[in-house]
Amino acid sequence: MPPTASLAPQALDTGAARPLPSQARGKPAAAAASRNWQRESARAYGLGLAPALVVLAAITLLPLITLVVVSLTPLSLTDPAATFHFAQPAGNYAQLLQDQRFVDSLWVQAKLSSVSVLLQLLVGLGLALLLHSSSPVVAGLRTFFLIPMVLPPIVVALVWKIIYTPDISPMHALLEQWGWPLRSLIANPNTALWAIVAADVWQWFPFTMLMVLAQLQMVPRDPVDAARIDGANRWQVFVYIVLPYLQRTLVVCALFRLIDSFKAFPLLYVLTNGGPGTVTEVTNFYGFIQAFNFSYWGYGSAIAVVMLAIIFVLSALVSRLGRAKGDAHAR
């Protein structure tokens, strides 16, 4: 075969692989157009978010900054000139360390938060497992159990005020009729805090129940069916298959309820007003007393800042614990 004939296909292949001059010039132009489009999209996205961010900063960031600034001053209504007095910025916080009533309020808050959140998780989880069905009757029961959560907190407090007042309480009347007379639970120092816990659990266990019910709908059926075929009972299926799928949801519920437990103000204000004595005086209620009863706004703001720091720390610990358990389950 002539040499020219053997080289012809190679020449044709080389020519086909080489881009045309117009194509080579088009690639940088397309890349530049793509970058411009991305910049314009980011700019439009930022301009669209700007009004919402301004409003969010106005209603969250500015009050937070004001709270921190006021906590660094000895501001009180009896001395308005102390608003911008920063001679001892850590004075309120140093006083907190020596305030035994504040320390006691932290302990009361710890008991209230830990017990109420734990019971809300247990009751919500148990009812969610019982109500995990497509029956119309069960669906009606779900709606019934959601009623406490949608009631205003002050209404819940008034309902439990009636329940805990012996003269008008149906519970006390029934127990007395059965021969079990009972003192007022909110007037007894030994039971007042647990009466608050019961009211708080009743109001907020539907939150956990609703979250767990939603997660139960997404639990795959194949592992459950396989475990039952292998002879696992209901408890084993729940512990080893269902519960790991619910773990992250329970952590989220615990986190939200832990944060909200620091705001159980209406129940305390209506039912016990921090009493008897100070047995139900949690930290936020003590801060309320200092700020609005005694007019020590600087000191009350310092209490609020400490509470905020505690909530951040506890939230980080709960989130990290849930993440660590989730990673261990994934491995």
Side-chain angles (χ1 to χ4, degrees):
M1 181 180 294
T4 55
S6 62
L7 295 175
Q10 297 178 1
L12 290 174
D13 292 341
T14 304
R18 185 184 301 117
L20 297 176
S22 59
Q23 294 176 345
R25 289 193 302 269
K27 288 182 178 180
S34 177
R35 288 193 297 269
N36 291 334
W37 183 84
Q38 291 176 355
R39 284 195 297 267
E40 291 298 323
S41 298
R43 182 171 176 272
Y45 183 73
L47 291 176
L49 281 180
L53 292 177
V54 170
V55 173
L56 186 63
I59 63 177
T60 58
L61 190 59
L62 288 180
L64 177 61
I65 294 174
T66 304
L67 177 70
V68 174
V69 171
V70 171
S71 72
L72 303 176
T73 69
L75 175 63
S76 68
L77 293 184
T78 60
D79 186 15
T83 305
F84 301 104
H85 184 65
F86 297 99
Q88 294 180 334
N92 290 325
Y93 297 98
Q95 186 177 351
L96 283 176
L97 298 177
Q98 303 172 0
D99 190 348
Q100 187 59 41
R101 189 170 173 180
F102 169 73
V103 176
D104 293 341
S105 73
L106 289 176
W107 174 237
V108 175
Q109 181 70 69
K111 291 190 291 185
L112 175 65
S113 297
S114 58
V115 176
S116 63
V117 171
L118 179 61
L119 290 178
Q120 288 167 30
L121 293 178
L122 293 177
V123 175
L125 175 62
L127 284 175
L129 294 173
L130 291 175
L131 299 177
H132 181 48
S133 172
S134 57
S135 170
V137 177
V138 173
L141 287 175
R142 292 178 194 169
T143 305
F144 174 77
F145 281 120
L146 292 177
I147 292 176
M149 188 177 66
V150 300
L151 291 176
I154 193 67
V155 173
V156 173
L158 291 174
V159 168
W160 283 93
K161 183 74 171 181
I162 295 173
I163 293 174
Y164 288 145
T165 303
D167 295 338
I168 58 176
S169 170
M171 179 185 71
H172 283 269
L174 185 61
L175 290 175
E176 188 173 355
Q177 188 176 10
W178 289 348
W180 298 337
L182 185 67
R183 291 178 55 192
S184 175
L185 296 176
I186 54 177
N188 186 347
N190 297 321
T191 59
L193 183 62
W194 311 122
I196 299 292
V197 168
D200 192 52
V201 171
W202 180 81
Q203 182 182 9
W204 291 112
F205 80 84
F207 176 79
T208 301
M209 184 191 74
L210 195 62
M211 295 284 285
V212 173
L213 276 172
Q215 184 63 30
L216 284 173
Q217 305 296 327
M218 295 184 284
V219 174
R221 297 298 309 172
D222 292 342
V224 176
D225 295 337
R228 289 176 176 171
I229 292 174
D230 291 338
N233 55 37
R234 290 187 176 183
W235 175 253
Q236 291 171 330
V237 170
F238 169 72
V239 171
Y240 296 106
I241 297 177
V242 177
L243 187 58
Y245 283 102
L246 301 178
Q247 186 172 292
R248 292 185 181 273
T249 301
L250 292 175
V251 170
V252 172
C253 291
L255 184 60
F256 275 90
R257 293 309 314 141
L258 181 64
I259 294 173
D260 278 346
S261 68
F262 282 80
K263 302 184 296 182
F265 183 84
L267 286 175
L268 295 163
Y269 185 78
V270 173
L271 293 180
T272 64
N273 200 29
T278 59
V279 295
T280 61
E281 188 177 86
V282 295
T283 310
N284 68 340
F285 197 85
Y286 181 56
F288 166 79
I289 291 174
Q290 291 293 328
F292 294 97
N293 289 9
F294 301 147
S295 299
Y296 297 143
W297 284 17
Y299 194 61
S301 298
I303 295 173
V305 171
V306 172
M307 279 188 57
L308 188 62
I310 293 173
I311 291 172
F312 272 122
V313 172
L314 291 177
S315 301
L317 290 176
V318 172
S319 299
R320 180 167 294 184
L321 178 63
R323 196 179 305 116
K325 288 188 175 180
D327 294 341
H329 173 66
R331 289 194 296 268

